Amino acid sequence: IEDLLSPDTCVCRTDDGRLVEGLRGASLETVVPRGASDRVMAVLGEHAGKVGRILEREPVRARALVQLGRDPQVLSLPYDSICHFLGWAEDN
C-alpha cells in the first residue's frame, strides 16, 4: 500500500512497480512476514496503526505473538489484523 485515498480505498504498488488506484481494503490480502522478528503493523482493531515485531507464529491458529512498540505486553493477533511493515516508524 502506497497511500490511502479514503478510509476504505488505497493506492497499491505491484511487484512489477505499477501503481493501482482505488482498491478497496476488502480486496486485499495481508502479508505476514516469514523472517525472525520481522516488523509488522496492526491494521485492524484497537491497536491499528501501531508497529511492532513478530515474536512467534501460530500457523495452525492463523495468529502471531506480537510485541508492539516498547510495550512489554505480548499480544496474540490474527494474521488478518497485521501486515508486513517495511516503512520507518518510531517505536509506538
Side-chain angles (χ1 to χ4, degrees), residues 11-33:
V11 176
C12 291
R13 185 174 303 277
T14 63
D15 288 339
D16 64 0
R18 290 184 309 118
L19 286 178
V20 181
E21 294 185 25
L23 292 174
R24 299 233 177 252
S27 65
L28 302 176
E29 182 178 358
T30 58
V31 175
V32 178

Side-chain angles (χ1 to χ4, degrees), residues 11 16 19 26 32 34 38 41 51-52 59 61-62 65 72 75 83 88 90 92:
V11 176
D16 64 0
L19 286 178
V32 178
R34 298 184 190 275
D38 276 327
M41 176 182 277
V51 176
R61 296 179 57 213
L65 296 179
L75 305 170
C83 70
W88 178 89
E90 294 180 25
N92 53 7

Side-chain angles (χ1 to χ4, degrees), residues 1 3-12 21-30 43-44 80:
I1 297 176
D3 195 11
L4 295 175
L5 300 175
S6 71
D8 64 343
T9 60
C10 62
V11 176
C12 291
E21 294 185 25
L23 292 174
R24 299 233 177 252
S27 65
L28 302 176
E29 182 178 358
T30 58
V43 294
L44 295 174
D80 284 343

